[in-house]
Amino acid sequence: MLKKTISRLLIVMCTFAMIGCGGNSEAGSEAKEEAVSSTTAANTSSNSDTLTIAISGDMGTLDPGVSMDNFAWKITYPTYERLVEFDGESTEVKPGLASSWETSDDGLKWTFHLEKGHKFEDGTEVNADAVKFTFDRTIGLGKGPADTYKIIKEVNVVDDYTIEFVLNNAFSPFLSTLATNYGGIINPAVMKEEVNGDKAQGYLSNHTAGSGAYTLAEWKKGEYLKLGLNPNSGKSPKLKEVYFKLVADPSESRLQLEKGDIDIAEGIEISQLAELKDKDNISIVQKPGLFVDYLYLNTSKGNAALQNKDVRQAINYAIDYKSIIDQVMSGYASEMKGPIPNGLWGHDDSVFQYTYDVDKAKSLLQSSGQTNLELNLLYSDRYTNWEQEALIIQANLADIGITVNLNKVAYATMRDMLDSGDFDLALGAWSPDYADPSMFMNYWFDSNNFGLAGNRAFYSNPEVDELVRKATTINDNKERESIYKKTQDIVVEDAPYAYFYQKDFVLPMNKSVQGFIYNPMLEGIYNLEDMSK
């Protein structure tokens, strides 16, 4: 992405040089046009109906049936509508395209009743056929989002405004999955753009075809994306244009925010926040997030010593969690208590909490019979905080007599090693795709999910397997909560992970920006239609 930007700038510079040396007028005209377009996003923040957001990376495909990319979701969430939506700051859902819904007693059938009047960008109405097309297409493509919807057996059109989902088996989190970014309903008319049986993937990679308040108006790769209004949406946002401007350097993003060249700086590093705290024109949104950082202890494929629960508990007691939060995260995080983060239903504030206790750690290690223990710690440069965390863990475990060898590799290599279990300890990060405890409890602890699927501790406990699998087949959340509470007590004692922190969502913006709502499931700016300046 940076190479593209540099190349584009060099082209513009060379063209200007040709003008100065008597180059042809056609080249001069092209250079002026390019110069104007490349600075468009930088000259809009003073307009009350235009919002400019700095982002740190460019988008991949925008196809809701393909993308699992957080950057792409910044565009797809405001341009597509879903059957249900997350409700304000809550992880609960509210009506979206569907005004109501019901499920059968056995949890196998979900029926949704669509609200009339929602229209795609081309003016056609959103109906049950469009919903069926969307989910049939996603499942048929077999890419990222299809894994979530493999639970669907069939999608049936009952009438123009009623759609029925039949599931292979009861799956209580199903409703929550429909509110995610890949639940966006696509206009079936995109099939006229199909090329060689690609189901319009080529077209949807850089176009939108939804019924959201906005539509993708322009995309200059490596520079910015521009959203304009969907003329057929029933909504009337105050922001008529929204620019997502690529600013790869976080210090440059901060400077542009200070000068007023941008309105919001997304993805800014913690190290830059201190410079913004005292600025009169800047406010900083800070909210607890569901993004968690933790340590995998390979319980079955790593060093044999880690199969001993006393060793795993000793490691949990040996870690100075407060130092990680204070030194690495500069306080922009809160200690994680149990495997279900605070802010998601099912969180148990009474679950046992490991604390930094060197004497306790040494005692457990001694009782385990393990001496001269040497472990490898796997991590990558995926997150800037991992380097510091690795050093703290190395020092902490040295204090109880465990030697830790740091193994920093490329992120792609790390993923391969995580999937195969080729490590002893590894740093990890996780955020839920949908608002349900199963995103943590089932993914992390079910022995069917070894490796990248989620259980990266290669943890196996038959009782836990039975409990977490049962929990997803029950529609009564109180009953599910009771099951997860029991399960959390078991897995915390077994200690296959060490839980570090929940990262705060931090977003600096110009004080003129109004109406932003943070939803922990979306981790970004998604309620554009409610915002103003």
Side-chain angles (χ1 to χ4, degrees):
M1 290 177 284
L2 183 58
K3 288 181 179 178
K4 290 182 180 178
T5 306
I6 292 172
S7 297
R8 187 180 298 276
L9 290 172
L10 288 173
I11 290 170
V12 175
M13 291 169 64
C14 290
T15 310
F16 283 152
M18 288 175 62
I19 297 170
C21 299
N24 65 67
S25 59
E26 182 179 351
S29 175
E30 289 176 355
K32 290 176 183 178
E33 181 181 349
E34 181 71 17
V36 169
S37 66
S38 65
T39 57
T40 300
N43 297 330
T44 55
S45 62
S46 61
N47 300 337
S48 62
D49 61 357
T50 302
L51 188 73
T52 303
I53 304 164
I55 57 175
S56 58
D58 211 342
M59 313 292 173
T61 176
L62 301 180
D63 188 339
V66 175
S67 179
M68 298 291 286
D69 176 9
N70 284 330
F71 280 108
W73 289 345
K74 300 177 192 303
I75 304 301
T76 58
Y77 208 83
T79 55
Y80 291 87
E81 292 181 295
R82 290 143 291 277
L83 290 173
V84 294
E85 309 282 353
F86 289 115
D87 188 5
E89 295 187 356
S90 170
T91 57
E92 300 296 321
V93 301
K94 65 179 181 179
L97 288 169
S99 57
S100 63
W101 55 88
E102 61 266 356
T103 184
S104 60
D105 291 340
D106 61 8
L108 294 178
K109 291 184 180 180
W110 291 75
T111 305
F112 294 85
H113 306 280
L114 304 184
E115 184 178 63
K116 297 179 181 179
H118 291 261
K119 294 184 178 181
F120 291 113
E121 297 171 14
D122 65 359
T124 59
E125 191 171 21
V126 181
N127 58 19
D129 286 326
V131 177
K132 177 176 172 57
F133 164 78
T134 296
F135 286 92
D136 285 349
R137 177 181 181 271
T138 296
I139 295 168
L141 288 174
K143 298 188 176 179
D147 187 58
T148 298
Y149 293 126
K150 64 186 178 183
I151 193 70
I152 297 173
K153 181 178 181 180
E154 58 187 21
V155 184
N156 301 317
V157 173
V158 178
D159 58 43
D160 285 350
Y161 299 100
T162 308
I163 191 79
E164 176 189 76
F165 293 84
V166 181
L167 307 186
N168 290 309
N169 52 265
F171 183 61
S172 47
F174 180 63
L175 185 65
S176 182
T177 71
L178 301 176
T180 62
N181 290 285
Y182 41 79
I185 304 303
I186 300 170
N187 188 346
V190 297
M191 288 303 289
K192 67 184 180 183
E193 306 292 344
E194 183 178 39
V195 177
N196 297 326
D198 73 343
K199 296 185 185 295
Q201 288 181 78
Y203 177 80
L204 286 176
S205 68
N206 53 20
H207 293 81
T208 54
S211 58
Y214 293 91
T215 181
L216 179 63
E218 186 181 5
W219 185 357
K220 294 195 74 68
K221 285 280 189 178
E223 295 182 20
Y224 65 86
L225 296 93
K226 172 186 172 183
L227 298 184
L229 294 182
N230 173 359
N232 292 299
S233 169
K235 301 168 183 176
S236 302
K238 292 183 179 179
L239 296 173
K240 309 304 181 187
E241 294 180 339
V242 180
Y243 286 87
F244 290 87
K245 179 183 179 184
L246 180 62
V247 184
D249 181 355
S251 60
E252 177 61 24
S253 182
R254 172 180 60 81
L255 289 171
Q256 290 192 27
L257 182 62
E258 289 178 4
K259 293 188 295 182
D261 290 340
I262 60 174
D263 299 301
I264 300 175
E266 265 209 346
I268 198 165
E269 292 184 0
I270 291 173
S271 59
Q272 300 293 320
L273 295 175
E275 301 289 335
L276 295 172
K277 276 188 173 181
D278 299 325
K279 302 296 180 182
D280 292 338
N281 64 326
I282 305 297
S283 62
I284 299 177
V285 176
Q286 182 177 358
K287 299 279 188 178
L290 295 180
F291 181 98
V292 303
D293 191 277
Y294 60 129
L295 181 72
Y296 315 139
L297 284 68
N298 193 332
T299 64
S300 59
K301 291 193 173 187
N303 189 303
L306 292 173
Q307 295 176 24
N308 188 313
K309 182 168 66 175
D310 285 347
V311 173
R312 299 195 301 268
Q313 288 185 352
I315 291 172
N316 270 262
Y317 277 114
I319 295 171
D320 189 348
Y321 304 97
K322 188 176 186 301
S323 288
I324 291 175
I325 292 172
D326 291 345
Q327 297 176 23
V328 180
M329 299 305 295
S330 301
Y332 289 100
S334 56
E335 190 170 346
M336 190 178 178
K337 194 169 188 178
I340 301 177
N342 191 14
L344 185 63
W345 75 267
H347 169 74
D348 182 7
D349 203 47
S350 68
V351 72
F352 179 79
Q353 180 82 354
Y354 291 96
T355 56
Y356 179 48
D357 189 333
V358 174
D359 290 337
K360 180 71 172 176
K362 287 180 176 179
S363 175
L364 282 164
L365 196 60
Q366 184 177 18
S367 67
S368 74
Q370 296 293 330
T371 57
N372 301 318
L373 185 56
E374 187 170 338
L375 301 173
N376 295 319
L377 173 59
L378 176 68
Y379 67 106
S380 74
D381 58 0
R382 170 72 169 178
Y383 300 103
T384 56
N385 50 288
W386 277 357
E387 182 77 34
Q388 293 172 274
E389 288 174 20
L391 292 170
I392 290 173
I393 293 166
Q394 184 183 50
N396 287 165
L397 297 191
D399 289 341
I400 66 168
I402 298 177
T403 299
V404 174
N405 302 312
L406 302 185
N407 184 20
K408 185 177 182 180
V409 299
Y411 182 58
T413 302
M414 180 182 180
R415 287 179 63 82
D416 289 340
M417 294 174 72
L418 289 175
D419 201 33
S420 63
D422 185 17
F423 66 94
D424 298 329
L425 309 173
L427 292 175
W430 188 271
S431 61
D433 289 342
Y434 48 86
D436 192 89
S438 62
M439 280 299 309
F440 295 86
M441 299 302 295
N442 292 70
Y443 280 82
W444 287 7
F445 302 107
D446 191 325
S447 61
N448 283 338
N449 293 327
F450 279 176
L452 286 180
N455 187 344
R456 298 168 188 176
F458 293 86
Y459 168 75
S460 180
N461 182 322
E463 182 182 8
V464 169
D465 283 345
E466 182 180 353
L467 287 168
V468 296
R469 291 169 192 173
K470 179 181 178 181
T472 59
T473 66
I474 299 169
N475 284 329
D476 184 337
N477 280 356
K478 286 187 177 180
E479 186 177 353
R480 294 183 67 209
E481 204 161 24
S482 176
I483 293 172
Y484 282 136
K485 179 177 174 61
K486 179 180 179 180
T487 310
Q488 286 181 82
D489 289 337
I490 297 171
V491 299
V492 168
E493 182 180 353
D494 282 348
Y497 302 103
Y499 311 115
F500 293 168
Y501 56 80
Q502 294 178 224
K503 184 180 178 181
D504 284 352
F505 172 82
V506 182
L507 187 69
M509 61 177 66
N510 192 289
K511 287 184 177 179
S512 65
V513 178
Q514 304 295 317
F516 169 73
I517 296 174
Y518 168 65
N519 187 289
M521 283 306 305
L522 302 176
E523 294 184 359
I525 304 165
Y526 295 95
N527 68 314
L528 291 170
E529 64 197 56
D530 304 316
M531 295 172 63
S532 62
K533 285 173 63 181

